[in-house]
Amino acid sequence: MASPISCLSILVIPLLVTSLFYQVSNADQALLERICRNSTDHDFCMASLLSDERSINSSLVALEIISIELNVDVVEVAVNRIPDVNKTLTDPVDKTRLKNCENDIGDAHENMFRAGDGANLFNYDKVQTTLTAALLKIGECANQYESSPKRQSPLSDLTFKMGRLIDISFVIVNYILGV
């Protein structure tokens, strides 16, 4: 016959293990909340980070890499959209703007890869520098549609996302650096 202590341990040990995992999940959720509370758009930040299943169990360092990877994905969507948009354009001004955006987005893409390299090497000065360069290029693309004749950019939804994702990356870098 099993002793009462053996029976009790069979019940208590799984409960302890479960509670440990529950506390870790809450702590990880709290980290994401803290990051997103300091971002420009809390809801966008939470939705973006939680769209990657690795985020909930990630350290700040891993979250930085994830935020950069999310942005690379959006940049690649823009790169892939440009040829289709170009086929629909007839106005030379629109074609020139899109060509300029293609160059800007290409530069932003390269900078996002450099930011990822910096994050993988724990070189956060490089991360900040290349994120800033990417943000400036994205801004150049978006801003040229503000000049006369003013038009809606065919990439505005993506450049908006890129800017918000870069903001999240900056927030995470600042936490890593203790700023």
Side-chain angles (χ1 to χ4, degrees):
M1 179 170 185
S3 73
I5 293 176
S6 297
C7 291
L8 189 58
S9 67
I10 291 172
L11 295 173
V12 172
I13 291 174
L15 289 173
L16 286 173
V17 170
T18 303
S19 71
L20 287 174
F21 286 117
Y22 178 75
Q23 289 172 354
V24 169
S25 294
N26 283 344
D28 295 338
Q29 182 75 24
L31 175 62
L32 295 181
E33 282 290 340
R34 194 169 71 236
I35 289 166
C36 292
R37 206 172 323 117
N38 288 292
S39 72
T40 304
D41 184 337
H42 175 273
D43 293 339
F44 177 84
C45 177
M46 289 298 291
S48 297
L49 291 177
L50 290 173
S51 72
D52 189 304
E53 63 188 27
R54 300 172 296 168
S55 293
I56 197 69
N57 296 314
S58 293
S59 66
L60 279 171
V61 172
L63 284 171
E64 180 64 21
I65 293 168
I66 290 168
S67 71
I68 292 168
E69 289 173 354
L70 290 170
N71 210 333
V72 167
D73 291 346
V74 175
V75 172
E76 288 175 356
V77 169
V79 167
N80 292 330
R81 183 186 291 178
I82 289 171
D84 292 334
V85 170
N86 196 36
K87 291 176 189 174
T88 67
L89 300 177
T90 56
D91 186 311
V93 171
D94 290 336
K95 286 183 172 279
T96 299
R97 286 177 176 171
L98 188 64
K99 181 64 179 164
N100 292 340
C101 267
E102 184 175 32
N103 293 333
D104 293 335
I105 298 293
D107 291 344
H109 196 229
E110 288 299 316
N111 282 306
M112 292 309 300
F113 277 119
R114 287 187 196 113
D117 290 343
N120 283 318
L121 297 171
F122 310 106
N123 182 346
Y124 296 107
D125 289 334
K126 179 178 182 176
V127 172
Q128 289 177 319
T129 301
T130 54
L131 287 174
T132 300
L135 186 60
L136 290 172
K137 284 299 183 177
I138 292 164
E140 287 177 25
C141 172
N143 287 339
Q144 65 184 313
Y145 285 91
E146 296 300 315
S147 61
S148 184
K150 188 175 179 176
R151 293 205 173 90
Q152 176 74 26
S153 166
L155 304 172
S156 63
D157 60 323
L158 299 174
T159 55
F160 177 80
K161 281 183 180 179
M162 290 176 220
R164 292 293 166 104
L165 287 167
I166 289 173
D167 171 62
I168 295 165
S169 296
F170 274 125
V171 169
I172 296 168
V173 166
N174 287 337
Y175 271 110
I176 291 169
L177 296 175
V179 177

